[in-house]
Amino acid sequence: MKRTRKAWAVLAFAALMAGPAFAAPFKLGITAPTVNMLPLWIARDAGVFKARGLDIDIVVTDGGSRGLADVGAGRLQEMTVGLSSVLDANGKGGDYRLVASGANTLSLGFFGAKGVTDAAHLKGKKVGVSTFGSESDTAAAFALKRLGLSRGDVTMVEAAGTEKRLEALKSGAIAASALNAPVNFMAERAGMPKLVDLANDVPWIFTGMVFSRDYIAANRETVKNFLRAYAEGVYIALSDEARAKATLAREFRNLDAAIVQATYDDFKIRVPRDAAPSREGAENMIRELPAQGARLKSANIADYIDTSLIEELKREGFFDAMKTKYGVR
């Protein structure tokens, strides 16, 4: 049967809308399950990544620096981690770029174990972080400073992801740790003393999407497709509260409805609609981290962040299309 040029055009458009016929394996790392991973879970479950040609495998690395090392070695294609880890890794010879942000402010509580209610109780004891140089490490240093302590006044130990650190607090294996949603709400519910509240509006790139610079250069369209899928996950989560809360309840077992709601509300407040990294946050981190002992490669933001892909998506009208599609502003 002969088809007209119009018929072929309709078929071609339908094929394009159906997405790629083959989804390539794509491994991404997360330091631990947190509320910031919500768009990744939703985009995976909704088939958005596969529609963009990516067969996603989410790997828990129990630390940002460990995950970035896997990106550098090619074991992961992407690591979802804060800018602190990129600053630390690039200062040690790495060549990574944060290309998008999932949170541009700090969102943590610094909690003590039972009986650890102030600086005097904490001095000389163990403070748990995911890995050295990670966001939880940086947050712990901030909290210690507010308590009038320094890293030298405590013993910093690597204690894995957020939920595992909460368990270590409960058992007394560590004396304090920085926790973010929903585990911070879980710690409050368990009666853990909150020593310092770091859930504030301090500009800070707390969570971002990070690739090696070589991978971006060789796979630019793949990275853009990853960002398209991630961003659509953001808009699905913002437009469908019931679905988002059901996802959180599944990923974090034993959360009651009140904690799920508080976690979702925290997500809505903090997630940037255009996934753009905060320049002010980057400048703040580059200024503050050396005071905590970090050795930076340079003070040049371009050595750590590549905003060109997000800017391309903006020029293409992608984010405007998402707002229209999902009715989110």
Side-chain angles (χ1 to χ4, degrees):
M1 181 179 68
K2 294 180 68 175
R3 288 191 173 96
T4 65
R5 182 176 298 177
K6 182 177 180 180
W8 281 115
V10 169
L11 287 172
F13 180 76
L16 177 64
M17 293 302 292
F22 172 75
F26 187 101
K27 285 190 175 184
L28 67 91
I30 64 174
T31 58
T34 70
V35 65
N36 306 108
M37 310 311 154
L38 179 58
L40 298 174
W41 293 324
I42 285 185
R44 176 197 62 192
D45 298 344
V48 177
F49 279 115
K50 283 196 174 178
R52 297 289 181 183
L54 303 173
D55 185 11
I56 290 293
D57 180 16
I58 299 176
V59 179
V60 178
T61 65
D62 282 328
S65 56
R66 188 175 296 122
L68 283 181
D70 286 340
V71 170
R75 291 185 290 270
L76 295 174
Q77 279 68 60
E78 185 270 349
M79 184 66 198
T80 302
V81 70
L83 183 60
S84 290
S85 294
V86 180
L87 293 171
D88 180 69
N90 285 6
K92 295 173 180 175
D95 200 7
Y96 305 100
R97 294 295 184 275
L98 187 145
V99 301
S101 175
N104 283 324
T105 56
L106 281 175
S107 177
L108 291 155
F110 188 67
F111 290 87
K114 184 177 180 180
V116 180
T117 58
D118 55 27
H121 289 113
L122 182 57
K123 193 170 183 178
K125 295 187 171 65
K126 293 179 180 179
V127 173
V129 302
S130 59
T131 52
F132 298 133
S134 67
E135 230 58 39
S136 61
D137 188 357
T138 301
F142 261 101
L144 289 170
K145 185 177 180 181
R146 290 198 185 179
L147 291 168
L149 300 173
S150 68
R151 295 175 76 94
D153 293 320
V154 299
T155 301
M156 306 292 285
V157 297
E158 294 186 326
T162 315
E163 289 180 289
K164 292 179 182 178
R165 296 200 307 278
L166 176 58
E167 293 306 311
L169 281 174
K170 289 179 178 179
S171 71
I174 58 176
S177 187
L179 308 173
N180 63 316
V183 180
N184 58 341
F185 300 125
M186 295 163 67
E188 290 176 352
R189 182 64 59 84
M192 314 300 289
K194 184 187 284 188
L195 305 179
V196 180
D197 187 358
L198 295 172
N200 51 41
D201 294 327
V202 173
W204 203 264
I205 304 178
F206 185 66
T207 301
M209 289 77 235
V210 181
F211 295 81
S212 73
R213 193 158 71 107
D214 286 346
Y215 186 88
I216 295 170
N219 302 276
R220 191 172 183 86
E221 194 58 30
T222 296
V223 177
K224 284 180 68 175
N225 277 330
F226 172 86
L227 293 176
R228 290 180 181 109
Y230 166 81
E232 187 156 4
V234 170
Y235 281 92
I236 294 172
L238 292 172
S239 66
D240 192 341
E241 180 170 338
R243 180 174 194 162
K245 291 194 294 189
T247 301
L248 291 170
R250 183 196 69 217
E251 295 293 336
F252 300 98
R253 292 181 286 277
N254 302 319
L255 291 189
D256 64 29
I259 291 180
V260 170
Q261 185 67 55
T263 303
Y264 179 66
D265 290 343
D266 184 77
F267 168 80
K268 288 193 297 182
I269 291 170
R270 298 187 187 281
V271 68
R273 272 51 171 174
D274 60 0
S278 163
R279 183 176 182 85
E280 185 181 3
E283 290 172 342
N284 193 31
M285 296 173 78
I286 289 171
R287 182 174 59 251
E288 292 288 339
L289 290 185
Q292 299 182 16
R295 294 185 178 182
L296 303 188
K297 178 179 180 179
S298 76
N300 184 1
I301 292 176
D303 284 332
Y304 313 103
I305 296 176
D306 180 354
T307 61
S308 66
L309 296 106
I310 289 295
E311 293 303 320
E312 285 177 20
L313 293 179
K314 287 180 181 179
R315 289 195 297 270
E316 293 166 7
F318 174 77
F319 293 104
D320 289 337
M322 288 294 102
K323 291 174 183 177
T324 299
K325 180 176 180 179
Y326 292 102
V328 172
R329 289 291 179 263

